[in-house]
Amino acid sequence: MSDPMLKRQATPKSLQGILPARAIADYCAHGFIALARPADADQIQPASLDLRLGEVAYRVRASFLPGPRSTVAQRLKELELHRIDLTGGAVLETGCVYIVPLQESLALPEGISATANPKSSTGRLDIFTRVITDHAQAFDTVPEGYRGPLYAEISPRTFPILARTGSRLSQIRFRAGASLASDALIRALHAQDPLIAEGEADIHNGLALSVDLSTLPGEGPVGFRAKRHAGLVDVDRKAALDVLDYWEPIWRRGSLVLDPDQFYILASKEAVRVPPTHAAEMVPFNPLVGEFRVHYAGFFDPGFGHSSGAGEGSRGVLEVRSHEVPFILEDGQIIGRLVYEPLTEAPESVYGQGIGSNYQRQGLKLSKHFKPFDLSIR
């Protein structure tokens, strides 16, 4: 750990916003972010840090938050059913809840907080993943100045997964000061450089994204519905799986009935852009306007869909699940909203600039684990 003076000077109090990759790397170097093993070459993203699974998974009776009087380790003594060695890889079954200590821990400076989210590929596999801290009263939230370990709660919902020590299912973003997200900020950004490729921007509690259920003939499906009882997914293998073994394509239509407890991959009509000086996040959708949820992955890095990252607008991919009753989605229905925040400083690289970005210039796209879909299949 760095000395107390370094701790006080980690980020000037005058700065507010999301920390870019350069600052995250500095935090790793000075011990504000402690790594059990040296960082992977691509672990630090333009405005976030991927989190790696440790050596053991604890199967627990139920999801939990430790609360202000307990650590996660203390609660595990009460709730643990058995331990699973991840060093050689292990299967995590659907319907079960696992707690995995992560290889990264934190000793955040004053004024610095953090928020976690599943990685895009995690969300597109319907792996319910949340980060927990000691004494936490909320998931995926790391309070200002937190010092302690990080844990991942993992519960595969649709596909059993093969994971191992070092697998990266979650990512974390660091913020200096309070959030600066506002509709005024979004309007100013949109006036300077449009945040959607075409059409009117609906800005109210964020930039609205609507669902696209009406692609033209020959353009492919409007979405995918996950198949029940499909095979195993190795979370670290890219382009290894045949789409039709795991997904049912949904072809052109103007509306879609969401069946309860089914998982869907859909896409937004809007092709969105994130300026290189900002980051974006999809915020929880208001449940009062529909019996469904759009989850899980919510971070959009600087340069996503932007010309600075060789993008010309990228559609948002939506991971959708209905609640207890069937619900009809109509083409063009608002299904999510993006909020934008500035970075504390310009990043050295942005999404899409040769850093292994999997979803730049995307349309409807499954996770990186699947082979390209053959559009001739109907």
Side-chain angles (χ1 to χ4, degrees):
M1 174 59 61
S2 58
D3 61 39
M5 183 60 68
L6 270 175
K7 180 176 180 179
R8 288 196 297 271
Q9 295 177 348
T11 303
K13 290 185 177 181
S14 59
L15 291 180
Q16 278 187 270
I18 302 299
L19 301 189
R22 181 190 301 110
I24 294 173
D26 287 344
Y27 273 34
C28 292
H30 290 122
F32 303 124
I33 303 171
L35 308 174
R37 294 180 175 86
D40 297 342
D42 60 347
Q43 188 176 351
I44 299 177
Q45 299 295 315
S48 60
L49 174 71
D50 290 351
L51 299 173
R52 300 171 296 181
L53 301 184
E55 297 182 349
V56 63
Y58 297 87
R59 168 79 190 281
V60 293
R61 288 188 283 130
S63 174
F64 67 90
L65 283 167
R69 296 182 179 85
S70 300
T71 65
V72 175
Q74 288 169 338
R75 294 306 310 276
L76 283 174
K77 292 179 180 179
E78 307 168 16
L79 299 173
E80 174 190 346
L81 295 176
H82 62 267
R83 304 181 188 188
I84 301 170
D85 183 1
L86 295 180
T87 55
V91 174
L92 305 185
E93 301 285 355
T94 58
C96 300
V97 181
Y98 304 89
I99 303 296
V100 182
L102 296 170
Q103 294 186 34
E104 292 72 33
S105 58
L106 302 177
L108 295 180
E110 297 176 7
I112 303 297
S113 60
T115 303
N117 233 316
K119 289 173 60 65
S120 294
S121 295
T122 305
R124 296 183 201 195
L125 289 175
D126 199 21
I127 306 170
F128 194 66
T129 304
R130 302 185 286 194
V131 169
I132 315 174
T133 65
D134 286 343
H135 312 295
Q137 300 185 76
F139 294 104
D140 286 334
T141 301
V142 182
E144 174 186 329
Y146 174 76
R147 302 174 67 92
L150 299 174
Y151 298 82
E153 176 192 287
I154 303 168
S155 182
R157 301 290 302 275
T158 295
F159 310 122
I161 63 171
L162 177 63
R164 57 188 56 79
T165 300
S167 295
R168 289 145 51 177
L169 301 181
S170 301
Q171 57 190 166
I172 192 167
R173 182 172 286 177
F174 301 90
R175 177 183 289 110
S179 172
L180 295 174
S182 70
D183 284 349
L185 170 67
I186 297 174
R187 293 190 182 98
L189 288 174
H190 185 65
Q192 179 180 353
D193 187 4
L195 300 178
I196 58 175
E198 58 184 33
E200 294 289 329
D202 179 341
I203 302 171
H204 179 69
N205 294 325
L207 175 67
L209 297 182
S210 60
V211 65
D212 186 1
L213 296 175
S214 62
T215 56
L216 296 174
E219 289 187 347
V222 298
F224 293 92
R225 179 189 293 109
K227 291 184 175 181
R228 297 179 183 271
H229 315 299
L232 185 70
V233 177
D234 186 332
V235 298
D236 296 321
R237 290 190 65 196
K238 295 182 181 179
L241 304 174
D242 291 321
V243 171
L244 295 181
D245 290 340
Y246 293 81
W247 301 94
E248 174 192 349
I250 302 170
W251 298 99
R252 183 174 184 246
R253 61 183 71 190
S255 63
L256 173 65
V257 177
L258 300 177
D259 293 321
D261 203 33
Q262 285 278 19
F263 181 69
Y264 299 83
I265 297 292
L266 304 173
S268 69
K269 280 188 176 294
E270 296 78 13
V272 301
R273 299 182 176 119
V274 181
T277 54
H278 287 69
E281 182 176 1
M282 186 176 289
V283 295
F285 190 64
N286 185 354
L288 298 180
V289 297
E291 291 300 317
F292 63 93
R293 63 172 292 176
V294 178
H295 61 165
Y296 298 105
F299 288 170
F300 292 71
D301 274 314
F304 178 85
H306 194 268
S307 58
S308 60
E312 298 175 352
S314 294
R315 293 202 288 165
V317 170
L318 310 166
E319 302 103 11
V320 181
R321 181 184 291 277
S322 182
H323 288 313
E324 300 300 323
V325 298
F327 184 80
I328 298 177
L329 275 184
E330 301 289 349
D331 179 55
Q333 183 171 344
I334 294 174
I335 198 170
R337 292 186 180 271
L338 289 182
V339 296
Y340 289 71
E341 290 189 68
L343 304 183
T344 57
E345 58 181 304
E348 291 181 319
S349 62
V350 298
Y351 194 86
Q353 287 184 336
I355 56 173
S357 305
N358 293 295
Y359 306 115
Q360 186 67 302
R361 305 178 74 171
Q362 71 181 356
L364 175 71
K365 189 171 183 179
L366 297 171
S367 73
K368 62 188 179 184
H369 307 88
F370 295 94
K371 300 174 184 177
F373 180 65
D374 185 355
L375 293 180
S376 67
I377 297 174
R378 187 67 190 261

